[in-house]
Amino acid sequence: MKFSALFTTCCAPLALLGLTLVLAVFSTELTPLLQFDRQAVFAGEWWRLWTGHLLHTNSWHLAMNLAGLMVITMLHGNYYQRWQFLFLLLSGFLLISLGLLFWSPAIGLYVGLSGWLHTLLVYGACEDVRRHWSSGWLILAGVAAKVGWEQWHGASGDLVLLIEADVATDAHLYGAICGVLLFGVLHSFQQIRRHG
């Protein structure tokens, strides 16, 4: 891959990585203002529907999510133009937060990128399937098994200790569902553009 193509592929994910690192530096001050907080959202602080995904509980949480972002970018980054990545980012954040808000009343506070990483991974796997690559089906089966296991058994106790917080497994479920839904939306839009 040429450097220009690599830069284009990684530009938006690197910007996201940079933003989350900057927010991590000021997390003590920013977390109370930006984290997903059910009561604050209902009180009108709607920006938390997006900003909570950019924050993390500690350095391990941040490192794991940023490593996941880089792996998914290397796997499927060539599928996204910048506008597609931004659309997936903003709409995925919003839909996951709305899922937490209306269907997971036990979750009062939430931070982390992992729910949205499920969106990005599933979207890429759907694109693999569309291109008739068996890897897409394998990834979808793996994500379905992981999310199903989390819904049935919960997250690993070691992971809870590592990130110093409960794992919001519902965010992973909503993220995976969003990946399928947003693939359908963008694929339909591209079909309309082609035939229009």
Side-chain angles (χ1 to χ4, degrees), residues 12-89:
L14 285 175
L16 175 59
L17 184 148
L19 177 59
T20 56
L21 288 174
V22 168
L23 292 174
V25 171
F26 302 102
S27 64
T28 303
E29 298 83 7
L30 294 178
T31 296
L33 302 172
L34 301 180
Q35 70 186 340
F36 173 91
D37 180 328
R38 171 180 302 281
Q39 298 305 321
V41 171
F42 281 127
E45 297 180 10
W46 50 265
W47 61 84
R48 294 173 183 269
L49 296 172
W50 289 274
T51 57
H53 298 272
L54 300 170
L55 303 169
H56 293 83
T57 57
N58 62 21
S59 298
W60 284 110
H61 191 199
L62 175 66
M64 286 188 298
N65 280 340
L66 293 184
L69 175 63
M70 290 298 98
V71 168
I72 295 168
T73 299
M74 291 299 113
L75 191 62
H76 294 137
N78 60 315
Y79 292 162
Y80 316 112
Q81 296 175 20
R82 285 185 203 128
W83 71 268
Q84 289 172 308
F85 188 88
L86 186 61
F87 173 78
L88 291 172
L89 186 77

